[in-house]
Amino acid sequence: MNRILLRTASLFACLAMAMPLSAQTTGMIRGNVLDGSTGRPLQGAQLSIVGTTLGTLSNDQGNFLILNVPVGSHSVRVTYLGYRSYDQTVDVVGGQTAQLAFRLGQMAVNLD
């Protein structure tokens, strides 16, 4: 009986130690998107991590947060109608939040 109890306790201890390790395989990317000439926040700018399905939209303050980003170097792309698209590279560390700031320049839009 003691042997079964000891094995069960050992199993739970191993699982408890493994959980924090899995949390370290991802991080977050936080930042903002502003108009490059006026500094005005751009609400609804689309942000995506190139080569993944991860992305988000900026809020009314121009702020964004992308969760569960795999550890490593990533290219983050921002697009917004009437502005040039822009890419920035960021290094994501497990359990931490990387910071980015985008300042977009306006661009004429061709209408067909």
Side-chain angles (χ1 to χ4, degrees):
M1 190 66 145
N2 286 340
R3 181 175 260 167
I4 293 172
L5 204 53
L6 183 59
R7 285 183 184 171
T8 304
S10 296
L11 177 63
F12 281 119
C14 289
L15 290 174
M17 291 186 327
M19 285 182 196
L21 293 176
S22 66
Q24 301 300 312
T25 61
T26 64
M28 297 182 286
I29 302 173
R30 175 186 306 272
N32 60 16
V33 184
L34 304 175
D35 179 293
S37 58
T38 67
R40 178 179 61 88
L42 297 178
Q43 177 182 6
Q46 184 174 351
L47 296 113
S48 60
I49 299 177
V50 177
T52 74
T53 58
L54 297 174
T56 192
L57 298 174
S58 59
N59 67 15
D60 59 340
Q61 300 295 312
N63 298 322
F64 67 89
L65 177 64
I66 305 174
L67 301 172
N68 300 318
V69 180
V71 168
S73 183
H74 299 283
S75 181
V76 178
R77 178 172 295 148
V78 61
T79 57
Y80 192 77
L81 186 62
Y83 289 80
R84 288 180 186 82
S85 295
Y86 191 70
D87 289 8
Q88 275 192 56
T89 301
V90 64
D91 292 320
V92 175
V93 176
Q96 296 186 16
T97 303
Q99 297 285 333
L100 285 179
F102 290 96
R103 306 292 185 263
L104 303 184
Q106 293 185 7
M107 176 180 75
V109 177
N110 293 328
L111 301 176
D112 292 327

